[in-house]
């Protein structure tokens, strides 16, 4: 029998240490080691085991994933077409962003019965919120508990067997069989493992709410992200009303899709036309602004790019990229300088993708370049012009995928897509102010 032994586990990365230490050797964080009970397994002892059954790949059959319609189009889209039965989904985001609101709200339209386990709020608070959201709760059972074994018993109860389970939040759950404190890595991980086993054996989907810590990671273990099937992030600026739901891991679908919501006084409203939302309030007649057509998964979206170039007071000028890759910004600045004679060397440069979007596709290059050109030369880009295209090191414009979809979205929104230019010089001519380019 393996002997239980006290070990120390890092609450950030989950690395196990035989002795306590001030700093974790796994992730370098300080004061993150916590006591945990481990077992020192002996591989030499020749213990008992049950033989592993092997199967020829050709003999393994499967049915298509069975999915439950959540009744919320934007959530279905991010999940890849609905909740897969037997899957465990982690929904994480900052406190107050709207995780509980989203999950309670889907209970209104979801097909099937739901067990909503609340470890954070009282049943009364949930009821007040449900009334605000217009959730009548015919199909909804609320359980106020943090005791994992009792919750699992409730899920397995054949009389109330729910079709979907929501756990709000996983950090408040505890297994009494484990001595670690509530919210510790060991507790969170073991509770999740127990729920995964239940989800797989009963073939029901379980949604876990996970908090993010101040660094933006899911509190406690990164390991949580590895063991669940799908990880969704709910993000947005809390001062603004819109929220973006994004899959960062999805075993049953793509991770490119985003869902857009707007927080209203009666809950979250789906935004089916994100382009209109992202472009609303766009200033006109101002330099440094261009419109980008980007693909978020299968959906083309128009977004506003803003750039500012100001005289620098620093020895090495600042470059700040918000929602865009910093190195890619430096590359575009270098191409503009070398190929187009636009000198940013004495300027601080700030680039911002409006609306909290993060763009990683190279198709954004052209809009960034146009916004920078417009900011430096103080000219305005025609208001109804949208662009997309990758910029090569020679200043050439390279083709990007999904041209047809992008052009269609531009036209639908009443924008003219800037297409058919083979290099930056042609683009600047097309924009109509090529003569303003400053040569050294
Ligand atoms: P909540 O779902 O409790 O956040 P989380 O579970 O992620 O911590 O959302 C809380 C915020 O949402 C709170 O600041 C109030 C706001 N809210 C609305 O604006 N409208 C609504 O209809 C509801 C229910 C909440
Ligand atoms: Mg909550």
């Amino acid at each position: 029998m393996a002997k239980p032994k006290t070990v120390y586990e890092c609450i950030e990365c989950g690395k196990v240490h035989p002795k306590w230490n001030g700093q974790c050797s796994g992730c370098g964080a300080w004061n993150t080691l916590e006591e945990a009970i481990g077992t020192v397994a002996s591989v030499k002892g020749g213990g008992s085991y049950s033989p592993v059954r092997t199967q020829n790949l050709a003999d393994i059959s499967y049915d298509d994933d069975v999915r439950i319609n959540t009744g919320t189009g934007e959530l279905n889209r991010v999940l890849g077409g609905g909740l897969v039965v037997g899957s465990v989904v982690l929904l994480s985001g900052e406190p107050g962003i709207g995780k509980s609101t989203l999950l309670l709200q889907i209970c209104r339209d979801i097909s099937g019965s739901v067990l909503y386990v609340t470890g954070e709020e009282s049943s009364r608070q949930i009821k007040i919120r449900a009334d605000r959201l217009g959730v009548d709760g015919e199909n909804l059972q609320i359980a106020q508990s943090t005791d994992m074994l009792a919750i699992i018993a409730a899920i397995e109860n054949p009389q109330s067997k729910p079709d979907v389970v929501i756990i709000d939040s996983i950090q408040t759950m505890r297994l009494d069989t484990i001595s670690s404190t509530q919210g510790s890595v060991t507790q969170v991980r073991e509770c999740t493992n127990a729920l995964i086993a239940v989800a797989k054996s009963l073939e029901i989907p379980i949604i876990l709410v996970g908090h993010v810590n101040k660094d933006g990671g899911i509190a406690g273990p990164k390991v949580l992200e590895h063991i669940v099937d799908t990880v969704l992030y709910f993000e947005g600026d809390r001062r603004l009303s819109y929220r973006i739901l994004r899959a960062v891991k999805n075993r049953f679908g793509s991770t490119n899709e985003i869902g857009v919501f707007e927080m209203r006084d009666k809950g979250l409203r789906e935004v089916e036309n994100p382009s209109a939302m992202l472009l609303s309030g766009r200033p006109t007649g101002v330099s440094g602004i261009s419109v980008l057509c980007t693909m978020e998964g299968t959906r083309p979206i128009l977004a506003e790019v803003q750039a500012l170039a100001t005289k620098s007071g620093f020895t090495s000028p600042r470059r700040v990229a918000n929602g865009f890759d910093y190195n890619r910004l430096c590359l575009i600045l270098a191409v503009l300088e070398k190929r187009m004679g636009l000198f940013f060397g004495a300027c601080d440069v700030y680039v911002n993708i409006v609306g909290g979007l993060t763009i990683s596709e190279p198709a954004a290059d052209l809009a960034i370049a146009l916004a920078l050109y417009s900011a430096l030369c103080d000219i305005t880009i025609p208001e109804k012009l949208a662009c997309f295209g990758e910029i090569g090191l020679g200043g050439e414009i390279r083709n990007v995928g999904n041209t047809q979809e992008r052009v269609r979205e531009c036209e639908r929104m009443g924008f003219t897509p800037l297409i058919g230019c083979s290099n930056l010089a042609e683009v600047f001519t097309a924009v109509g102010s090529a003569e303003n380019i400053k040569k050294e």
Side-chain angles (χ1 to χ4, degrees), residues 36 89 98 154 172 217 260 288 311 336 340 366 405:
V89 177
T172 57
V260 186
K311 195 166 163 291
L336 287 174
M340 302 305 296
L366 188 52
E405 286 86 345

Side-chain angles (χ1 to χ4, degrees), residues 164-334:
V164 179
V165 175
I166 295 170
I167 308 282
D168 189 359
S169 66
I170 189 66
Q171 274 94 1
T172 57
M173 298 296 146
R174 74 188 146 73
L175 265 171
D176 286 339
T177 47
I178 294 171
S179 65
S180 303
T181 52
Q182 206 165 4
S184 69
V185 188
T186 319
Q187 280 289 3
V188 169
R189 192 185 49 208
E190 292 314 316
C191 288
T192 307
N193 276 328
L195 287 167
I196 290 173
V198 174
K200 305 284 175 222
S201 69
L202 297 181
E203 298 221 310
I204 51 168
I206 300 188
I207 306 177
L208 312 176
V209 171
H211 291 291
V212 294
N213 58 24
K214 57 182 184 309
D215 305 325
I218 295 171
K222 256 286 190 226
V223 282
L224 210 57
E225 293 199 22
H226 297 299
I227 57 182
V228 298
D229 297 304
T230 302
V231 180
L232 306 180
Y233 273 74
F234 203 32
E235 350 173 278
D237 189 334
R238 246 185 304 163
R239 289 161 301 173
L240 304 175
S241 61
Y242 45 82
R243 307 277 182 267
I244 292 177
L245 185 67
R246 181 189 304 282
V248 289
K249 165 182 173 178
N250 194 352
R251 285 188 182 147
F252 307 106
S254 125
T255 52
N256 297 324
E257 299 288 353
I258 62 165
V260 186
F261 295 88
E262 188 185 355
M263 183 63 96
R264 295 276 189 91
D265 59 345
K266 285 198 164 43
L268 291 155
R269 191 182 65 93
E270 295 179 64
V271 178
E272 271 139 32
N273 188 355
S275 299
M277 185 200 74
L278 289 167
L279 293 178
S280 67
R282 188 167 56 108
T284 50
V286 180
S287 64
I289 290 179
S290 66
V291 172
L292 156 75
C293 187
T294 181
M295 296 299 295
E296 287 286 353
T298 52
R299 176 159 63 168
I301 291 181
L302 295 188
E304 178 187 339
V305 177
Q306 294 191 332
L308 193 63
T310 56
K311 195 166 163 291
S312 178
F314 303 96
T315 33
S316 59
R318 299 190 71 187
R319 271 88 182 87
V320 178
N322 203 352
F324 188 69
D325 181 45
Y326 171 82
N327 291 321
R328 195 85 201 160
L329 170 63
C330 295
L331 185 145
I332 296 171
L333 288 171

Side-chain angles (χ1 to χ4, degrees), residues 279-428:
L279 293 178
S280 67
R282 188 167 56 108
T284 50
V286 180
S287 64
I289 290 179
S290 66
V291 172
L292 156 75
C293 187
T294 181
M295 296 299 295
E296 287 286 353
T298 52
R299 176 159 63 168
I301 291 181
L302 295 188
E304 178 187 339
V305 177
Q306 294 191 332
L308 193 63
T310 56
K311 195 166 163 291
S312 178
F314 303 96
T315 33
S316 59
R318 299 190 71 187
R319 271 88 182 87
V320 178
N322 203 352
F324 188 69
D325 181 45
Y326 171 82
N327 291 321
R328 195 85 201 160
L329 170 63
C330 295
L331 185 145
I332 296 171
L333 288 171
V335 173
L336 287 174
E337 178 166 332
K338 182 75 182 170
R339 307 290 171 195
M340 302 305 296
L342 295 173
F343 290 96
F344 290 88
C347 296
D348 290 337
V349 173
Y350 303 88
V351 168
N352 182 29
I353 313 282
V354 176
L357 278 187
T358 303
I359 313 274
S360 51
E361 62 161 1
D365 290 357
L366 188 52
I368 305 274
L370 270 186
L372 288 167
Y373 162 55
S374 159
L376 187 75
C377 302
D378 213 13
I379 56 157
T380 53
I381 306 285
E383 198 189 319
K384 289 284 179 189
L385 190 75
C387 61
F388 50 90
E390 180 180 352
I391 296 177
L393 295 185
E396 78 277 17
I397 310 296
R398 313 186 75 101
N399 281 340
V400 292
N402 304 93
T403 305
Q404 275 182 358
E405 286 86 345
R406 295 181 206 252
V407 168
R408 231 176 287 135
E409 176 71 2
C410 293
E411 286 167 354
R412 191 178 71 82
M413 294 299 297
F415 278 74
T416 310
L418 181 67
I419 39 180
C421 298
S422 60
N423 56 44
L424 276 174
E426 284 179 26
V427 169
F428 288 179

Side-chain angles (χ1 to χ4, degrees), residues 94-101 129 132-133 263-267:
E94 284 177 21
I97 203 75
K99 301 179 292 297
S100 306
T101 307
R129 182 179 296 133
R132 186 170 173 189
L133 300 174
M263 183 63 96
R264 295 276 189 91
D265 59 345
K266 285 198 164 43

Side-chain angles (χ1 to χ4, degrees), residues 27-264:
C27 63
W30 288 91
N31 286 332
T32 53
L33 297 201
E34 255 187 19
E35 201 175 303
I37 303 294
T39 45
V40 183
S42 162
V43 284
K44 292 190 193 126
S48 65
Y49 60 87
S50 48
V52 173
R53 191 171 68 101
T54 62
Q55 236 182 326
N56 198 321
L57 182 66
D59 297 337
I60 302 175
S61 64
Y62 64 92
D63 299 326
D64 276 349
D65 295 334
V66 181
R67 292 183 186 258
I68 294 181
N69 178 3
T70 64
T72 303
E74 296 292 298
L75 178 61
N76 285 346
R77 172 203 297 280
V78 177
L79 289 169
L83 271 173
V84 174
V85 299
S87 73
V88 175
V89 177
L90 177 67
L91 173 67
S92 73
E94 284 177 21
I97 203 75
K99 301 179 292 297
S100 306
T101 307
L102 177 68
L103 293 180
L104 191 57
Q105 198 174 320
I106 62 168
C107 298
R108 189 175 51 200
D109 306 315
I110 204 162
S111 36
S113 59
V114 183
L115 174 66
Y116 189 113
V117 181
T118 167
E120 243 160 52
E121 292 167 285
S122 66
S123 310
R124 194 173 154 270
Q125 281 171 302
I126 303 285
K127 172 70 179 163
I128 294 170
R129 182 179 296 133
D131 284 347
R132 186 170 173 189
L133 300 174
V135 177
D136 61 6
E138 286 276 298
N139 60 339
L140 179 59
Q141 297 291 315
I142 306 286
Q144 185 187 337
S145 172
T146 58
D147 182 349
M148 202 69 257
L149 292 177
I151 292 164
I152 290 175
I155 299 172
E156 285 173 339
N157 183 350
Q159 267 145 30
S160 64
K161 190 177 167 266
D163 297 316
V164 179
V165 175
I166 295 170
I167 308 282
D168 189 359
S169 66
I170 189 66
Q171 274 94 1
T172 57
M173 298 296 146
R174 74 188 146 73
L175 265 171
D176 286 339
T177 47
I178 294 171
S179 65
S180 303
T181 52
Q182 206 165 4
S184 69
V185 188
T186 319
Q187 280 289 3
V188 169
R189 192 185 49 208
E190 292 314 316
C191 288
T192 307
N193 276 328
L195 287 167
I196 290 173
V198 174
K200 305 284 175 222
S201 69
L202 297 181
E203 298 221 310
I204 51 168
I206 300 188
I207 306 177
L208 312 176
V209 171
H211 291 291
V212 294
N213 58 24
K214 57 182 184 309
D215 305 325
I218 295 171
K222 256 286 190 226
V223 282
L224 210 57
E225 293 199 22
H226 297 299
I227 57 182
V228 298
D229 297 304
T230 302
V231 180
L232 306 180
Y233 273 74
F234 203 32
E235 350 173 278
D237 189 334
R238 246 185 304 163
R239 289 161 301 173
L240 304 175
S241 61
Y242 45 82
R243 307 277 182 267
I244 292 177
L245 185 67
R246 181 189 304 282
V248 289
K249 165 182 173 178
N250 194 352
R251 285 188 182 147
F252 307 106
S254 125
T255 52
N256 297 324
E257 299 288 353
I258 62 165
V260 186
F261 295 88
E262 188 185 355
M263 183 63 96
R264 295 276 189 91

